Amino acid sequence: MAKTIQAVRGMNDILPAETSAWQYLEDTLREVVHAYGYREIRLPLLEKTELFSRSIGEVTDIVEKEMYTFDDRNGDSLTLRPEGTASCVRACMQHGLLHNQVQRLWYGGPMFRHERPQKGRYRQFHQVGVEAFGMPGPDIDAEMIFMTARMWARLGLRGARLQVNSLGTPAARAAYREALVDYLRTHAERLDEDSTRRLESNPLRILDSKNPDMQALVASAPQLPDYLDEESREHFSGFCSLLDVAGVAYEVNPRLVRGLDYYSKTVFEWVTDQLGAQGTVCAGGRFDGLVEYLGGRPTPAFGFALGLERLLALLLSADAQLPASDPHVYMVLSGHEAMQRGLVLADELRNAVAGLRLQVNCGGGSFKSQFKRADRSGAAFALVLGEEEIARQTAVLKPLRSDADQEVVAQSGLAARIGGLLADDSAGQGC
Ligand code: ATP
Ligand code: MG
């Protein structure tokens, strides 16, 4: 027999047993971003390669070694999106969404990076991204943090720590860059291969290195906060005091830089110790230069992205109470007439009872095998129609998850009875 084909490494199927948790996570996040006035934008999975190489920067992990890039049949170089900000900015410019107006936008979906797959790190993974354009002050920076804090609260997640830093204005960053390069040059023999290459092209990224030897070197490097100019300092202290007033705890991490090149001023990450090495669940910051850099008018911008796989892992380890998706009722049918009537009755019940999840046994089978399926479906009740019930226009409603007695109900009264049971259930029982 031929070997069955497997999924691409690092690209996961999300199986039916897992989708309820995903939907719950996505619904909750959507509810929170909508509560702050953000609107969804849906973007293509494929973009011209140039969009990412320009916006993310040539000398980043993503552009150097993580992009899925190929020539299409016309010979155009295309790339599966590794992140969403670049596409979002492109779409906003292309459709004039940034002219004389502010925008609060969010998007979600799969991103693609050719990384080494491991727990919390995949080649296809999912993000929800949130971006705000046109707001220069620290108020929007802080509000985004409040929004993320609300997400954790709504999801029942505890233990995420907020780290913040300021990358300064481009001028402040340039001054810091010079000091950092001077320092690193004097320790050139200790730099690893990646860092040596980045020394000239993108030295700030060395601060972000995952190599422990580099982290030791970086620990005594000049620190970014010492190089902030007046404007950056004011923005950052304004931001921090808004967090203080709202009672949001944070730590300033002077070595926090973001992997992407286009950030300036505020940057932040939410980090947890519960996920091992892949502990960042949310990261973002201000990117005032990006729109202009991609050919638009200067436009202040702030945004972040959440890693859904990592959030989901936290959610599952927190034993969150997920909404059920099992059917409430499984309809068991015996005989041709019952099958005919059952299919119609099932739709009548779906029409009459809002939110009812009713699964009809299709494909025949003995009573015994149908009850087995009913049990496996997770349904709280079996609704049984046989010859006798057809003749009497009744049905038997049998609880599957409790010892309560079964009851015979007139078909005309079923909607009310089942509706009543569902209403009781929203107060907390087995449905
Ligand atoms: P890391 O330092 O973990 O590689 P990053 O800086 O590359 O993260 P961003 O580009 O800021 O990550 O993406 C935002 C979030 O998306 C991350 O904080 C993380 O939660 C998630 N994420 C990034 N890459 C992956 C991946 N390969 N698999 C799963 N989640 C990811
Ligand atoms: Mg990365």
Side-chain angles (χ1 to χ4, degrees):
M1 217 166 66
K3 210 173 148 206
T4 55
I5 298 171
Q6 306 284 303
V8 175
R9 196 162 112 81
M11 306 212 176
N12 300 318
D13 300 307
I14 298 173
L15 299 176
E18 304 162 297
T19 44
S20 312
W22 276 87
Q23 287 162 355
Y24 171 68
L25 175 61
E26 289 160 352
D27 290 349
T28 307
L29 296 176
R30 189 183 308 121
E31 234 173 72
V32 174
V33 292
H34 285 173
Y36 286 77
Y38 288 80
R39 292 193 304 167
E40 186 181 11
I41 182 165
R42 298 197 179 188
L43 304 159
L45 301 192
L46 267 181
E47 296 275 1
K48 293 180 181 163
T49 302
E50 187 193 354
L51 175 66
F52 302 116
S53 47
R54 269 177 61 187
S55 64
I56 297 172
E58 293 282 356
V59 199
T60 55
D61 283 346
I62 292 181
V63 173
E64 275 184 325
K65 50 188 185 198
E66 294 177 358
M67 295 205 304
Y68 281 91
T69 296
F70 60 94
D71 286 349
D72 78 354
R73 288 169 192 276
N74 303 326
D76 296 325
S77 180
L78 303 181
T79 293
L80 275 169
R81 63 180 188 191
E83 55 99 46
T85 301
S87 309
C88 185
V89 169
R90 181 211 37 79
C92 284
M93 293 191 318
Q94 185 172 336
H95 302 286
L97 303 188
L98 303 179
H99 287 317
N100 304 320
Q101 54 190 319
V102 298
Q103 287 290 351
R104 291 169 188 246
L105 302 171
W106 73 272
Y107 51 80
M111 306 293 162
F112 303 85
R113 297 184 193 176
H114 195 277
E115 303 197 67
R116 190 169 70 75
Q118 55 197 289
K119 184 167 168 278
R121 193 174 290 285
Y122 310 100
R123 290 182 173 172
Q124 175 175 322
F125 63 98
H126 297 77
Q127 286 185 337
V128 161
V130 181
E131 323 278 10
F133 297 97
M135 290 161 261
D139 50 354
I140 188 72
D141 307 19
E143 196 199 42
M144 285 242 197
I145 301 287
F146 301 167
M147 184 164 75
T148 50
R150 181 177 295 270
M151 289 171 176
W152 316 149
R154 282 293 315 278
L155 292 167
L157 302 181
R158 283 196 211 106
R161 286 178 288 111
L162 174 64
Q163 301 202 337
V164 300
N165 193 20
S166 173
L167 297 182
T169 58
R173 236 169 123 172
Y176 174 66
R177 185 192 150 114
E178 215 170 288
L180 181 65
V181 170
D182 283 348
Y183 166 83
L184 292 172
R185 270 214 195 97
T186 59
H187 300 280
E189 75 293 343
R190 291 174 61 191
L191 294 176
D192 65 9
E193 196 187 319
D194 268 355
S195 305
T196 305
R197 213 158 17 90
R198 294 201 165 124
L199 184 58
E200 303 302 330
S201 51
N202 195 353
L204 261 69
R205 284 298 318 284
I206 299 175
L207 301 180
D208 196 28
S209 169
K210 304 229 161 38
N211 177 348
D213 295 341
M214 289 305 96
Q215 288 169 0
L217 183 62
V218 154
S220 36
Q223 299 215 333
L224 234 169
D226 297 332
Y227 288 79
L228 294 186
D229 53 22
E230 193 51 36
E231 182 188 339
S232 314
R233 236 182 260 278
E234 221 168 82
H235 189 102
F236 192 54
S237 66
F239 168 66
C240 292
S241 70
L242 288 170
L243 297 183
D244 292 335
V245 168
V248 177
Y250 59 91
E251 29 182 301
V252 178
N253 174 357
R255 282 187 292 282
L256 177 68
V257 293
R258 300 287 311 126
L260 308 182
D261 261 2
Y262 46 64
Y263 287 98
S264 56
K265 294 187 181 162
T266 316
V267 287
F268 74 95
E269 286 190 356
W270 283 97
V271 189
T272 161
D273 299 326
Q274 294 161 48
L275 294 176
Q278 268 51 254
T280 306
V281 291
C282 170
R286 182 162 279 284
F287 48 100
D288 289 346
L290 182 63
V291 176
E292 188 180 15
Y293 189 64
L294 287 175
R297 292 187 201 159
T299 307
F302 192 95
F304 65 84
L306 303 157
L308 297 197
E309 279 78 2
R310 295 182 193 179
L311 273 180
L312 195 78
L314 278 183
L315 192 65
L316 296 179
S317 68
D319 272 339
Q321 192 71 43
L322 302 174
S325 60
D326 292 339
H328 300 108
V329 178
Y330 189 98
M331 192 183 272
V332 169
L333 301 168
S334 166
H336 184 73
E337 261 185 81
M339 184 266 280
Q340 265 185 341
R341 174 67 190 129
L343 286 169
V344 173
L345 177 63
D347 265 340
E348 289 168 2
L349 292 173
R350 292 187 191 102
N351 289 340
V353 182
L356 175 62
R357 296 189 297 273
L358 192 167
Q359 190 170 327
V360 175
N361 184 83
C362 291
S366 66
F367 260 137
K368 194 172 161 204
S369 68
Q370 292 193 46
F371 268 102
K372 237 188 217 166
R373 285 183 212 157
D375 192 44
R376 216 177 290 149
S377 76
F381 294 92
L383 186 62
V384 187
L385 276 181
E387 274 167 34
E388 198 181 324
E389 287 75 25
I390 294 296
R392 297 187 183 168
Q393 300 197 354
T394 59
V396 174
L397 192 59
K398 182 175 162 44
L400 295 173
R401 314 283 154 197
S402 75
D403 295 334
D405 289 337
Q406 63 179 40
E407 46 185 305
V408 177
V409 184
Q411 288 176 16
S412 58
L414 268 176
R417 181 69 187 117
I418 293 175
L421 288 167
L422 257 62
D424 291 349
D425 181 60
S426 55
Q429 306 297 317
C431 276

